[in-house]
Amino acid sequence: RILTCAKPRATMPELPEVEAQRSTIEAATLGRRIATLIAVEQGGGPRDGQFDDKVIAEEVTPDVLAITLQDRWVLGVRRRGKQLWLELGESKGGACCACLLIHMGMTGAVIVQGVAAPVYKSFAVDETAWPPRFTKLELLMADAAGVSAPCVRLAFTDPRRFGRVLLRGADPFSRPPLSALAADPVTDPPSAEAFASVLRRGGAPSKAAAL
């Protein structure tokens, strides 16, 4: 698959789209091992062959990325707000030892080969080739037997480079961005009493306070 420019649309991933992405990633990766990763841009864009240290951020190098992700098992795929993360372990069913965080930004998306691209994308998908254009990170997943049949491939793409790929330890809430987030309005909504208490504490208009 290759992403090609379509008519621009003023769209970006909101909570429902990010939750849909979480579900798609979970279906493709849960209980599988990261057998191979490719961390240079692919797909025929102008940065092909380069490691994108703006998207894969916080001075993470290709070597560090490989050491952290290679041969790790995906134990869970979580979301808080617009932040997604994969919980990774050294063995299937073992303890989490690292997390791969993904934020879509304005135009980022995780594309799974053979699965329809997210509907918010402002890019048409060419079904004849893989990987997609503007791929920043590609993961090839193995199943419990060591080889996934058929091979499961997923790619993080981001033409405008506002998305971020970050590494965290076993507790991703120990530092930003997750430590700075409030409760999720879908998975962990505040009670009516707690919400009312927060609104009463500030002098801002209701809409501004809610945001």
Side-chain angles (χ1 to χ4, degrees):
R1 292 185 169 194
I2 296 179
L3 297 182
T4 56
C5 289
K7 183 178 179 180
R9 302 185 315 191
T11 57
M12 63 184 293
E14 301 294 351
L15 284 183
E17 288 80 22
V18 178
E19 174 58 26
Q21 282 270 268
R22 188 207 64 78
S23 180
T24 297
I25 296 167
E26 182 179 67
T29 65
L30 188 63
R32 290 191 169 103
R33 177 175 56 86
I34 301 173
T36 304
L37 64 138
I38 302 171
V40 294
E41 183 153 332
Q42 304 178 80
R47 300 178 60 86
D48 255 24
Q50 300 180 45
F51 179 80
D52 195 331
D53 58 4
K54 177 181 178 183
V55 173
I56 304 174
E58 298 182 338
E59 301 183 349
V60 171
T61 65
D63 287 343
V64 169
L65 194 68
I67 290 170
T68 305
L69 302 184
Q70 188 79 41
D71 290 326
R72 302 297 191 197
W73 292 82
V74 178
L75 308 177
V77 183
R78 314 295 183 195
R79 181 190 61 78
R80 171 71 69 86
K82 293 187 181 182
Q83 299 285 345
L84 290 173
W85 68 98
L86 280 66
E87 296 176 340
L88 307 173
E90 295 181 353
S91 61
K92 187 176 182 180
C96 177
C97 64
C99 293
L100 174 66
L101 272 65
I102 300 173
H103 189 275
M104 304 301 172
M106 294 181 67
T107 58
V110 174
I111 310 295
V112 178
Q113 189 176 30
V115 177
V119 295
Y120 67 84
K121 291 292 294 175
S122 297
F123 295 86
V125 176
D126 180 352
E127 298 285 344
T128 65
W130 179 271
R133 200 173 188 208
F134 306 115
T135 290
K136 308 299 184 180
L137 176 65
E138 182 182 8
L139 302 179
L140 281 69
M141 310 302 299
D143 64 15
V147 178
S148 182
C151 179
V152 177
R153 295 171 177 254
L154 58 158
F156 178 69
T157 70
D158 189 6
R160 296 190 65 184
R161 304 175 69 208
F162 290 126
R164 292 293 180 267
V165 174
L166 307 174
L167 297 179
R168 292 292 182 267
D171 179 11
F173 286 90
S174 64
R175 53 183 290 203
L178 292 182
S179 66
L181 296 180
D184 188 273
V186 176
T187 62
D188 186 28
S191 66
E193 293 79 8
F195 185 65
S197 176
V198 171
L199 291 180
R200 284 195 296 267
R201 287 203 298 266
S206 297
K207 182 178 180 180
L211 293 173

